[in-house]
Amino acid sequence: MSLGGIDVGANLKWVMSSNSIAVSPRLTCETWFMEGTLIPNYHYIEVKEDFSDLEERLQYYINHPDEAEAIIQHAHEYVAQFKDQQREKLISLLVLKKYFEITNSSI
């Protein structure tokens, strides 16, 4: 289970990097991890906000292990984009550049 509170579930990145499947209500917070681009039941198992379908959703994937494995693979592919350190540094610099342009600031 990856449950957010005021912010995103702190364990989401770890779960998606492991051989586990993240189970979560629809993600509503956005961080550097771009949670808004995650696709329910493709990158993680989505359950209702009140968890009323939790047992049913988990049983479905227990009964369909190939689909569960596909979610794990999709999660690993998603996480891989953040493991390219050179790309991450470049993106960080571009974000800073854009911030300084918008705020008319300088270093």
Side-chain angles (χ1 to χ4, degrees), residues 82-97:
F82 299 98
K83 293 184 177 181
D84 182 337
Q85 291 183 0
Q86 187 174 11
R87 180 175 183 256
E88 286 295 301
K89 285 179 185 177
L90 176 59
I91 292 170
S92 296
L93 290 172
L94 291 171
V95 168
L96 281 173
K97 179 180 183 286

Side-chain angles (χ1 to χ4, degrees), residues 9-21:
N11 67 339
L12 180 62
K13 296 156 198 71
W14 179 86
V15 173
M16 289 182 64
S17 297
S18 72
N19 286 324
S20 299
I21 299 177

Side-chain angles (χ1 to χ4, degrees), residues 20-76:
S20 299
I21 299 177
V23 178
S24 177
R26 183 160 304 260
L27 303 168
T28 58
C29 294
E30 192 82 16
T31 70
W32 191 267
F33 196 61
M34 304 182 304
E35 288 83 358
T37 63
L38 292 170
I39 302 168
N41 306 314
Y42 183 84
H43 292 115
Y44 69 97
I45 297 172
E46 182 179 50
V47 295
K48 292 180 180 175
E49 196 71 32
D50 66 359
F51 306 105
S52 61
D53 64 341
L54 176 62
E55 186 175 350
E56 172 191 334
R57 299 295 295 145
L58 293 179
Q59 192 60 55
Y60 175 86
Y61 286 102
I62 289 169
N63 293 338
H64 298 88
D66 291 343
E67 291 181 45
E69 287 292 331
I71 291 175
I72 292 170
Q73 184 58 40
H74 298 147
H76 288 176

